[in-house]
Amino acid sequence: MTTATDIFAKTSFVETRRPMLEASTLPGACYTAEAWYRAEVERIFLREWLLVGRAEQIPDSGDYMTEEIVGETVLLVRGRGARIRAGRLLEAAGNGRCARRLIAADPPI
């Protein structure tokens, strides 16, 4: 059984590297350990493009939506010219419609 203390040891993954029909799944601690989650966030989710939603969810200029991704709220807005822009949001939830403009406190993503 793999514990949180040896979760990153190469020996913990010998069974996962066997040929497809003989391989096992990741050790259980990979699904429950906070250290594993933090490593995935840092090494995968914060370094790669992530699907947040579909363009059809915000079809018209002024439409927006928010999603939470690894503890950060992301705001997507369809602006003039049908361009979609995204940025981190401090507080909000759901979908809606903007009157005219939003002003970013931080540079956009």
Side-chain angles (χ1 to χ4, degrees):
M1 178 175 176
T2 303
T3 64
T5 56
D6 62 352
I7 195 167
F8 296 108
K10 288 184 180 185
T11 55
S12 298
F13 302 98
V14 172
E15 297 296 318
T16 66
R17 292 190 170 101
R18 292 187 180 279
M20 179 73 107
L21 296 176
E22 300 171 21
S24 67
T25 60
L26 290 171
C30 295
Y31 301 98
T32 59
E34 181 68 23
W36 186 268
Y37 171 74
R38 284 193 312 270
E40 284 185 328
V41 168
E42 180 185 316
R43 296 176 186 163
I44 300 171
F45 298 113
L46 295 180
R47 293 184 180 189
E48 300 292 333
W49 285 95
L50 300 172
L51 176 67
V52 178
R54 296 182 51 89
E56 294 84 8
Q57 291 177 267
I58 49 174
D60 301 314
S61 291
D63 289 352
Y64 71 88
M65 64 182 284
T66 62
E67 288 294 331
E68 185 174 316
I69 309 281
V70 293
E72 295 285 339
T73 303
V74 177
L75 169 70
L76 293 98
V77 178
R78 184 168 305 265
R80 282 184 254 147
R83 184 171 174 203
I84 296 176
R85 294 181 172 91
R88 287 187 7 218
L89 187 64
L90 299 178
E91 280 188 44
N95 294 10
R97 186 165 182 82
C98 301
R100 294 200 72 179
R101 70 176 62 172
L102 296 172
I103 300 171
D106 292 329
I109 300 173

